[in-house]
Amino acid sequence: MTLTAPETPAPPKPAPPPRRPGPARRTWQKVSPYAYITPFFTLFAAFGLFPLIYTAFVSLYRVELQTPGDMEWRGLGNYTALFGDEYFWVSLRNTFTIGVLSTVPQLVMALGLAHLLNYRMRGRTFLRTAVLLPYATSVAAATLVFAQLFGRDFGLINYALGLVGIDPVDWQNGTVASQIAVSTVVIWRWTGYNALIYLAGMQSIPDELYEAAAMDGASRWRQFFHVTLPGLRPTILFTVIVSTIGATQLFGEPLLLEGSISGGISHQYQTLGLYMYEQGWGFFHLGRAAAIAWVMFLLIVVLVGVNALIARRRSRKEAGR
């Protein structure tokens, strides 16, 4: 019997060195990320940045809608005339009051609705979809329906008030009543939208926090105030900022409630958006309308900055505890 030594395997061939990409490929790898985002910045520059800058430019001139090519330099004259106009301050006050009347109840109701939808119940998927239907409804259709509901003589709201012995309310001519009517449309449209945002925030809160609170004997109300609300603070700040911006730009609801760009007989519910539209397309003063647009823009920046500053100070105080 002859013994033979086992054959030793041949050593593996070394892998060829990786091929270096050519100059064109290296250039494309550097440029491609910018190429992907170029369409966004191009559209933003054309439809966002340029109109903003051009509006600031037009606000320094006297420009009429009939003769937009004839521009007369005024400097800050449009702004001084604006601040000297009584109806500007009326529209600013109306914007603030309607914003408070619509934003505060809207966010409170959205928070409660999201808390209910967060429980396990039958048909909760259908309910979550249903609360978004008002947001998907056309603002024109919704406002026209509410204008009929708030009718003085044949409106369903006054009919319901009459059943409990309350006299009919002139919802379109009364100052407070008309602002409540406009705020009701805003609340109806945006409550479900904010409720879904709150619901998404609630579902991101760890269940361990609720379990620990329940073991400590905390009721559902205590869990809501001590677990849910602190966990939703960034989400609440986001909805407050978005609602503030929306309230400052409010236009469609007050316009369609009565169909008047003056916001009622005595401008009782004319917002800054309606006031800008009235100056630009009612009185044909494009320069003054541009000045109003920039005042609205600066007002939004200030309000958002104040909200962010308050939230930052609050978070610092809690972190220092």
Side-chain angles (χ1 to χ4, degrees):
M1 181 174 181
T2 305
L3 297 177
T4 56
E7 296 182 0
T8 58
K13 295 181 180 180
R19 297 179 59 185
R20 297 185 60 185
R25 187 175 182 82
R26 291 199 301 268
T27 303
W28 171 247
Q29 290 176 350
K30 294 180 180 179
V31 175
S32 59
Y34 301 98
Y36 292 137
I37 63 176
T38 296
F40 166 77
F41 285 102
T42 302
L43 293 175
F44 173 75
F47 300 101
L49 188 60
F50 172 75
L52 186 66
I53 298 175
Y54 186 71
T55 301
F57 172 75
V58 172
S59 67
L60 303 177
Y61 288 83
R62 183 196 300 274
V63 186
E64 301 298 324
L65 183 62
Q66 302 94 328
T67 56
D70 299 335
M71 304 177 67
E72 177 184 349
W73 172 259
R74 291 201 65 188
L76 298 178
N78 286 325
Y79 294 92
T80 56
L82 184 65
F83 295 141
D85 189 357
E86 174 188 0
Y87 293 118
F88 167 75
W89 299 106
V90 171
S91 62
L92 180 62
R93 184 181 67 246
N94 292 339
T95 301
F96 175 77
T97 54
I98 294 175
V100 172
L101 289 173
S102 60
T103 300
V104 175
Q106 172 194 148
L107 297 184
V108 172
M109 293 171 60
L111 191 60
L113 187 59
H115 186 60
L116 293 176
L117 293 176
N118 196 30
Y119 288 115
R120 294 181 179 179
M121 64 178 75
R122 292 183 178 179
R124 62 176 180 174
T125 303
F126 170 76
L127 294 176
R128 292 174 183 178
T129 306
V131 297
L132 199 59
L133 291 179
Y135 170 72
T137 305
S138 169
V139 60
T143 307
L144 292 176
V145 170
F146 274 89
Q148 298 298 320
L149 293 176
F150 284 103
R152 184 186 61 180
D153 299 323
F154 305 103
L156 184 61
I157 305 297
N158 279 340
Y159 175 76
L161 294 177
L163 295 178
V164 295
I166 300 177
D167 295 333
V169 179
D170 193 352
W171 295 102
Q172 294 182 347
N173 294 324
T175 300
V176 178
S178 60
Q179 293 181 3
I180 291 176
V182 174
S183 302
T184 303
V185 184
V186 179
I187 292 172
W188 180 82
R189 290 196 70 235
W190 291 97
T191 299
Y193 174 83
N194 289 307
L196 291 184
I197 295 178
Y198 287 149
L199 179 61
M202 289 178 183
Q203 292 180 345
S204 65
I205 300 175
D207 295 334
E208 291 79 6
L209 298 178
Y210 291 101
E211 294 174 359
M215 292 178 62
D216 291 338
S219 61
R220 287 185 178 247
W221 278 108
R222 287 185 174 274
Q223 293 178 23
F224 177 75
F225 284 106
H226 296 285
V227 178
T228 304
L229 287 183
L232 283 179
R233 186 170 291 118
T235 308
I236 294 175
L237 176 62
F238 170 77
T239 55
V240 168
I241 292 176
V242 172
S243 299
T244 301
I245 295 174
T248 307
Q249 298 176 339
L250 196 61
F251 177 76
E253 290 84 350
L255 174 65
L256 297 172
L257 183 66
E258 191 183 5
S260 172
I261 62 175
S262 61
I265 298 176
S266 57
H267 299 255
Q268 66 269 17
Y269 59 91
Q270 185 182 48
T271 60
L272 284 174
L274 273 182
Y275 180 70
M276 178 184 66
Y277 186 85
E278 182 185 44
Q279 292 294 322
W281 283 263
F283 301 147
F284 310 126
H285 304 322
L286 293 184
R288 184 173 296 187
I292 299 170
W294 257 87
V295 169
M296 293 173 61
F297 172 73
L298 295 177
L299 181 62
I300 291 173
V301 171
V302 170
L303 292 176
V304 171
V306 169
N307 287 331
L309 182 62
I310 293 174
R312 182 177 299 178
R313 286 186 176 182
R314 189 182 182 98
S315 61
R316 286 180 180 178
K317 287 182 180 179
E318 293 182 352
R321 291 179 181 176

